[in-house]
Amino acid sequence: MNEKHTDTENLGWELIGWDSDEQAAHVTDLNRVEILGIRDLFPARDDDFLETAAYEVPPALYSAMRSAIPHLEFRPGLEYQIGGFLLSV
């Protein structure tokens, strides 16, 4: 993985559960420390902080993600993705 410097102070992250109508039905905000705890669960990522794309979160990862971030909730019937975005400055 390329160890380029990433300024994470202006980044935010969300775990989004999408319903069958492609609506964001469940959104959980995540912080930098939480992302550091789960980023290795996504070995195919293109960046160190999951900030440049939306990454699919398959059900097989739910348990490992809950172990790293206990407050996470995954609702039945939703398809989850995680990704970062630039905060308004």
Side-chain angles (χ1 to χ4, degrees):
M1 188 72 30
N2 184 1
E3 288 297 326
K4 67 179 181 175
H5 174 71
T6 301
D7 177 14
T8 59
E9 288 184 26
N10 293 324
L11 292 176
W13 295 268
E14 292 178 330
L15 174 68
I16 303 173
W18 300 95
D19 66 17
S20 59
D21 293 326
E22 298 183 10
Q23 299 295 313
H26 181 224
V27 179
T28 304
D29 292 324
L30 301 171
N31 63 43
R32 181 184 185 278
V33 172
E34 292 168 331
I35 290 300
L36 289 172
I38 63 169
R39 69 181 179 179
D40 291 339
L41 296 174
F42 300 87
R45 70 185 187 277
D46 293 329
D47 51 58
D48 287 333
F49 291 97
L50 304 173
E51 81 270 16
T52 62
Y55 295 90
E56 180 182 351
V57 180
L61 290 182
Y62 293 1
S63 179
M65 288 182 67
R66 274 198 227 76
S67 291
I69 308 171
H71 71 86
L72 288 184
E73 176 186 349
F74 295 94
R75 296 182 182 167
L78 300 180
E79 294 183 12
Y80 283 87
Q81 290 181 326
I82 193 168
F85 57 91
L86 188 61
L87 298 171
S88 300
V89 288

